[in-house]
Amino acid sequence: MTHHRPNPSGAGANAPSLTESVIKTAIAWRIRLESGLARPSDEQACRHWRDADPAHELAWQRLGKLDSVFHDAAGKAPALARTTLHRTDEERRRLSRRQALCVITGSALGLSSLGWLATDQGVLQHLDADYATRTGERHQYILQDRSRVWLNTDSAIKVRFNDGERHVHLSRGEIHLHTDTDARPLQVHFPQGSLTTLGTRFLVRREQDHTLLQVIEGDVMVRPRLTGAPAQVKSGQVFRVSDTGLTAVDGRRFDYSAWVEGIFSVRNMPLAELLAELSRYRTGILRCDPSLQTFLASGVYQLNDTGLALEAMARSANAEVRYFTRWWAEIVPVQNA
């Protein structure tokens, strides 16, 4: 099920802002209360924290709607809860009750493992989002201005509209946006800068060190973060946006927007790169034998069944899929008997 947290304002404009500290505190309380080691006083202290600020309660409620994201992340760091709980228990024995509350909502959050859980696994972005999807999900939403936005796998956005402007913040993942006619300019914000448009269709995808932009209809103006110099991107063009400028991308090899239709459409794409794309839609590890990494794959693959897509990719390379665990699959040369 896709996570959608509608806001009474229709665009999240009046929702409390969730800081990283508030979100990490909510996670710390969740770990303690679900650990089996919590005391009745912990339940009371958590309720006091939730009641102290609307942002605290909002973070707690949204965390409750992210069970799959939270538990997947926690499962990858099993020592996190134990380390956090043991440390706070030791400190509690030395501190007053009031000081101990500060420990679990403060110093305990300094653990690097908790920061990894909250940041690398996307918990921070998902909790502070107006619209979000989990791994493998794709969903369409209608915004307040009647624009349509599609969220790809593991994506999150914040939407802020007012009388003069429309703002969409891409916190994680990838969106396909079909803007509706509106006198207010629409801006999409991402780490390397922003883009502005009045009415068009385009795709924006966050990568580790850049953002990818594909314009499908109309044109948009892009402003890199450090230069601020506007650059026009027209229909049919694909660019990587860095802090300092734009670099053209050949969009013929991979149709970046095809996921809206639930497919991958590729032409002469190295198998290792294709598997990296497919891995965004499923949990676990996808790899291929080194001898197959540069095999050029072509075809149309369905995203609704990543296992079937993996088998089709293997057949095209005269190879087979080998599963080492449920979450670890590799394409390897066929083993002759």
Side-chain angles (χ1 to χ4, degrees):
M1 180 177 179
T2 298
H3 295 295
H4 172 207
R5 290 177 294 277
N7 197 277
S9 68
N14 297 326
S17 178
L18 298 183
T19 65
E20 182 173 334
S21 175
V22 167
I23 292 172
K24 285 184 177 180
T25 301
I27 294 172
W29 278 119
R30 179 75 171 268
I31 290 173
R32 171 167 285 280
L33 296 185
E34 293 188 0
S35 68
L37 302 176
R39 304 174 177 85
S41 58
D42 293 324
E43 294 274 1
Q44 296 171 6
C46 179
R47 169 54 67 179
H48 176 76
W49 176 80
R50 291 168 58 185
D51 291 341
D53 190 300
H56 297 178
E57 180 62 19
L58 179 62
W60 185 260
Q61 294 298 329
R62 288 184 174 180
L63 187 62
K65 296 178 182 179
L66 283 176
D67 283 337
S68 63
V69 174
F70 179 78
H71 289 307
D72 284 350
K76 296 176 183 178
L80 167 64
R82 190 172 300 276
T83 300
T84 302
L85 291 168
H86 283 329
R87 178 169 297 186
T88 55
D89 282 340
E90 292 171 2
E91 291 171 337
R92 282 176 71 125
R93 284 193 287 270
R94 300 193 303 267
L95 300 173
S96 68
R97 179 176 178 180
R98 182 180 181 85
Q99 290 172 315
L101 179 60
C102 294
V103 167
I104 194 169
T105 60
S107 63
L109 298 178
L111 297 174
S112 60
S113 52
L114 184 56
W116 170 84
L117 185 153
T119 304
D120 187 74
Q121 299 302 304
V123 176
L124 289 175
Q125 297 95 329
H126 281 80
L127 258 69
D128 199 25
D130 295 307
Y131 304 91
T133 53
R134 297 185 299 228
T135 298
E137 291 182 328
R138 304 179 309 280
H139 206 87
Q140 177 190 174
Y141 298 104
I142 307 297
L143 302 183
Q144 184 187 31
D145 65 344
R146 308 307 301 170
S147 293
R148 287 178 290 166
V149 59
W150 289 259
L151 269 68
N152 201 2
T153 174
D154 188 21
S155 298
I157 61 172
K158 292 189 289 186
V159 179
R160 299 292 182 266
F161 290 176
N162 57 43
D163 292 339
E165 296 177 319
R166 299 174 292 168
H167 295 270
V168 175
H169 297 260
L170 180 57
S171 305
R172 187 177 181 89
E174 182 176 15
I175 59 171
H176 179 286
L177 190 57
H178 190 175
T179 61
D180 198 50
T181 302
D182 195 302
R184 298 170 296 175
L186 183 139
Q187 296 185 38
V188 177
H189 304 269
F190 42 87
Q192 292 77 27
S194 65
L195 65 84
T196 305
T197 184
L198 283 174
T200 186
R201 283 203 302 143
F202 57 91
L203 174 144
V204 186
R205 168 174 165 171
R206 283 187 58 163
E207 299 284 6
Q208 186 172 3
D209 59 356
H210 68 270
T211 293
L212 187 135
L213 168 66
Q214 178 184 24
V215 178
I216 302 163
E217 285 182 8
D219 56 77
V220 303
M221 297 299 296
V222 182
R223 291 182 180 273
R225 182 177 65 87
L226 294 183
T227 65
Q232 185 180 38
V233 180
K234 298 181 179 181
S235 176
Q237 294 182 319
V238 185
F239 282 90
R240 289 189 180 95
V241 184
S242 69
D243 290 333
T244 57
L246 281 66
T247 304
V249 174
D250 184 356
R252 294 173 297 179
R253 187 178 66 170
F254 182 75
D255 186 350
Y256 288 98
S257 61
W259 60 264
V260 175
E261 305 297 331
I263 60 174
F264 268 170
S265 178
V266 303
R267 192 174 98 181
N268 294 330
M269 188 173 192
L271 183 59
E273 293 183 28
L274 183 54
L275 290 178
E277 288 289 339
L278 187 66
S279 68
R280 300 172 62 228
Y281 295 83
R282 56 184 285 155
T283 301
I285 298 172
L286 290 183
R287 292 178 179 171
C288 64
D289 187 85
S291 65
L292 298 172
Q293 289 182 352
T294 58
F295 172 80
L296 298 180
S298 298
V300 177
Y301 305 95
Q302 298 292 325
L303 291 177
N304 289 332
D305 189 335
T306 58
L308 185 62
L310 197 59
E311 295 285 349
M313 293 173 190
R315 286 196 300 270
S316 70
N318 294 317
E320 62 185 0
V321 181
R322 182 179 301 170
Y323 288 90
F324 296 92
T325 71
R326 181 183 177 186
W327 310 113
W328 186 333
E330 291 191 12
I331 294 180
V332 298
V334 174
Q335 302 295 312
N336 295 320

